[in-house]
Amino acid sequence: DEFLQRYYSGEGLVALMDLYETLGDNDALAMVGKAFEYHRDYYNTDKHPASIPWLTQAYARAWRVERRPEYADFIFKMNDFIVSIQNQELYPDKDHLGRFSSDEWSKIYGPPFAPSTGVYLEGVVDAYRVARELKDVDRMEKYRIAIVLACRSLMQLQFRDDNLFFAKDAFRTRGGIRGDVMSTTIRMDNVQHSMQGMLRAVQTLTRWDLPKKFWSM
């Protein structure tokens, strides 16, 4: 099933890395390694973006253990594509600055919304970490800008005191993440992926990596 392959296979690999990192389960790490060529070849054929953040997270963690160059190459290939479809232009669509989308991409895979920005952000942060360890300066800068803009996009979607005037229950709504600028719906994965992505970004970038000009757009 393509849906299961695109989402749950990568999530399963992340779970295996959790087993290795928390319990020292070498069999789990070996399974991630054995699965690599299959997932790389499947992605090269399918090229569905939904698989990118999960595969990135799993193989970035495996790379830190084994330093296999093919892991880094695969991570960079996937995230170079994700960054290439990010809306990095201030005009004409200021509200959607930083989300991952393109006209062609949306027609095929559906419109983007907060969870997709959040989960792609998670992957790009891991890709940035690998690039930083490899001293790939060009990719570091490309991913850094993508991370900052993705955080900016998610901040646009959060319910705060200055935009709670129409909420029936401001106390329960405050802090929630809308699916899009024109949406008032809060979903669990809106909040979960957005917070995980932004927390990972804050833990990774220094204050000097966050130029004020991006936050004021």
Side-chain angles (χ1 to χ4, degrees), residues 174-192:
R174 182 180 291 107
I177 307 293
R178 299 171 288 162
D180 188 58
V181 290
M182 298 302 293
S183 171
T184 59
T185 302
I186 300 173
R187 280 176 35 170
M188 182 184 298
D189 57 350
N190 290 8
V191 179
Q192 172 199 341

Side-chain angles (χ1 to χ4, degrees), residues 138-206:
D138 290 340
R139 279 199 170 90
M140 285 175 62
E141 178 64 5
K142 176 165 61 176
Y143 295 160
R144 180 189 69 82
I145 292 173
I147 290 166
V148 171
L149 291 177
C151 289
R152 186 266 184 198
S153 175
L154 294 173
M155 291 171 66
Q156 281 276 98
L157 303 178
Q158 187 169 45
F159 280 109
R160 304 178 301 274
D161 289 340
D162 60 354
N163 62 8
L164 279 169
F165 57 89
F166 57 85
K168 292 183 178 180
D169 189 334
F171 179 78
R172 296 178 63 189
T173 303
R174 182 180 291 107
I177 307 293
R178 299 171 288 162
D180 188 58
V181 290
M182 298 302 293
S183 171
T184 59
T185 302
I186 300 173
R187 280 176 35 170
M188 182 184 298
D189 57 350
N190 290 8
V191 179
Q192 172 199 341
H193 284 305
S194 298
M195 295 300 101
Q196 285 181 312
M198 293 188 71
L199 180 61
R200 189 170 298 181
V202 170
Q203 292 170 337
T204 301
L205 301 181
T206 70

Side-chain angles (χ1 to χ4, degrees), residues 49-61:
S51 61
I52 289 176
W54 306 111
L55 293 175
T56 297
Q57 292 176 64
Y59 285 106
R61 292 161 72 176

Side-chain angles (χ1 to χ4, degrees), residues 39-55:
H39 287 286
R40 179 187 59 188
D41 293 346
Y42 191 96
Y43 170 79
N44 287 335
T45 300
D46 184 57
K47 295 190 182 300
H48 197 288
S51 61
I52 289 176
W54 306 111
L55 293 175

